[in-house]
Amino acid sequence: MNEEKRKSDAEDRLLHYLSQHSLRCTSERRMLLGWVMEMRGSFTPGRLLESLTESGFRLSQGTVYNTLKLFESAGIVRRRRTAEGVETYECASLDDEHLTLVCSRCGRSREVKDAELAKLLKLRRYPSFIMNGFDLYIHGLCSRCRGGGRVRK
């Protein structure tokens, strides 16, 4: 999915959610949506707030946290906890069948597609459960934390 389509999809989901719940589409919500959609990989609310502040925007920490909760309810972002218990967010999309490679040391993450694994997971059946998508987190060390070299088996 290209960037424009992804952003448009997120905006449509937000407007639909706000309409369904009789909530206003405020300028802060729209502005935060734009910033969230620009974030790459996972991010913390603090990192988002820091980016906003560095760019001259003044929003309270409560506004950022509450808006992220709203975005989560609208299906725009997904909330996760790292192994250290830090709450992070990442953008969600309708074609969310991907793997996320997460560095256990620095916390950076990267999304990758694996068609072969996706096919296997789609064939998997679970009692009393119908899967409609997946995201899989694989933890390890990124090349930067490994010192730039390859890990030997």
Side-chain angles (χ1 to χ4, degrees):
M1 182 181 292
N2 70 32
E3 283 301 302
E4 283 305 311
K5 173 71 174 126
R6 195 172 69 87
K7 289 175 184 178
S8 173
D9 174 57
E11 188 170 329
D12 289 347
R13 280 190 273 165
L14 176 62
L15 293 174
H16 180 73
Y17 182 86
L18 294 174
S19 173
Q20 278 188 319
H21 294 86
S22 301
L23 298 170
R24 293 181 310 128
C25 185
T26 64
S27 59
E28 289 87 358
R29 288 175 177 159
R30 280 187 177 271
M31 192 240 334
L32 275 171
L33 179 64
W35 278 87
V36 163
M37 297 310 292
E38 293 298 321
M39 301 299 278
R40 293 285 169 240
S42 59
F43 60 92
T44 63
R47 189 169 129 221
L48 175 60
L49 187 57
E50 189 178 292
S51 296
L52 290 164
T53 303
E54 287 172 358
S55 296
F57 293 101
R58 300 282 179 237
L59 288 177
S60 72
Q61 185 174 354
T63 298
V64 171
Y65 276 87
N66 290 335
T67 304
L68 285 172
K69 281 172 132 176
L70 184 138
F71 288 173
E72 181 183 13
S73 297
I76 296 167
V77 297
R78 228 186 256 106
R79 181 173 37 138
R80 301 280 186 240
R81 282 201 188 280
T82 65
E84 296 80 30
V86 176
E87 197 169 84
T88 64
Y89 290 84
E90 66 180 25
C91 291
S93 68
L94 293 177
D95 62 339
D96 246 355
E97 295 176 346
H98 65 272
L99 312 175
T100 303
L101 306 176
V102 181
C103 181
S104 301
R105 187 171 294 156
C106 70
R108 270 187 310 207
S109 64
R110 175 173 68 114
E111 290 183 6
V112 295
K113 298 274 186 185
D114 186 328
E116 201 172 315
L117 184 57
K119 186 176 178 181
L120 289 172
L121 286 171
K122 286 179 183 178
L123 293 173
R124 187 81 176 112
R125 300 289 177 242
Y126 301 95
S128 304
F129 187 81
I130 297 173
M131 181 174 65
N132 59 9
F134 69 87
D135 55 355
L136 178 64
Y137 287 77
I138 300 173
H139 298 269
L141 292 176
C142 69
S143 60
R144 210 180 276 172
C145 289
R146 288 191 325 254
R150 292 187 174 253
V151 173
R152 297 187 194 267
K153 292 182 181 180

